[in-house]
Amino acid sequence: KDTELRSADSRFVVVWAQASDEPGGRRRRAGFIHFRYDMEFGSAVLYLYELHILDAFRRRGLGTSLIGLATHLATALCVEKVVLTVHKANTAAVALYAQHGFQPEAHSPDLDDNRFNYLILGKPAS
């Protein structure tokens, strides 16, 4: 994972939020996405390596906005689809991705296959 984060091909979008309701309050990171443009099985993809929202900022639409941004970037750069890996145990994330049209890729382990703890999901960019 450290190698992926430090890769020259890695791209990040970081969302900052004001920490309090007071004007001039300290800003803190609310969430981020980490992605790369890549080739997967002969297709150009935007691979979403990470989408992370800090607990204090969850369930406010930020994850939805970042998924939308990733999809927009993929479309703007003529990439065929957005692909990601998600842990099966992260049921909230699996549900969020499904809500936004992500479906298991052909090479993803089956949901019921207990040998694997992850799914590979994808959705068309446009």
Side-chain angles (χ1 to χ4, degrees):
K1 189 165 192 160
D2 191 52
T3 302
E4 293 165 354
L5 284 169
R6 297 180 190 283
S7 169
D9 296 328
S10 290
R11 301 292 178 258
F12 300 87
V13 173
V14 180
V15 178
W16 295 88
Q18 192 168 317
S20 69
D21 293 335
E22 301 172 22
R26 187 177 66 85
R27 290 182 343 139
R28 63 187 260 206
R29 187 177 59 228
F32 69 93
I33 55 174
H34 163 217
F35 62 96
R36 288 175 29 184
Y37 300 104
D38 212 340
M39 293 296 291
E40 187 167 279
F41 299 101
S43 296
V45 302
L46 182 150
Y47 205 103
L48 187 58
Y49 280 91
E50 238 178 303
L51 185 159
H52 182 77
I53 309 297
L54 274 70
D55 288 343
F57 298 98
R58 289 187 179 162
R59 309 225 34 97
R60 297 185 185 188
L62 186 53
T64 292
S65 294
L66 288 171
I67 290 169
L69 176 61
T71 303
H72 175 76
L73 289 170
T75 301
L77 293 169
C78 300
V79 171
E80 293 178 40
K81 59 185 167 180
V82 179
V83 178
L84 59 88
T85 302
V86 61
H87 288 278
K88 291 178 183 178
N90 190 348
T91 56
V94 171
L96 177 68
Y97 295 133
Q99 179 183 356
H100 292 284
F102 284 87
Q103 297 181 356
E105 289 286 289
H107 57 280
S108 176
D110 289 332
L111 184 60
D112 298 329
D113 188 340
N114 293 328
R115 295 175 300 159
F116 302 95
N117 65 355
Y118 64 92
L119 298 169
I120 301 170
L121 305 178
K123 73 176 254 177
S126 54

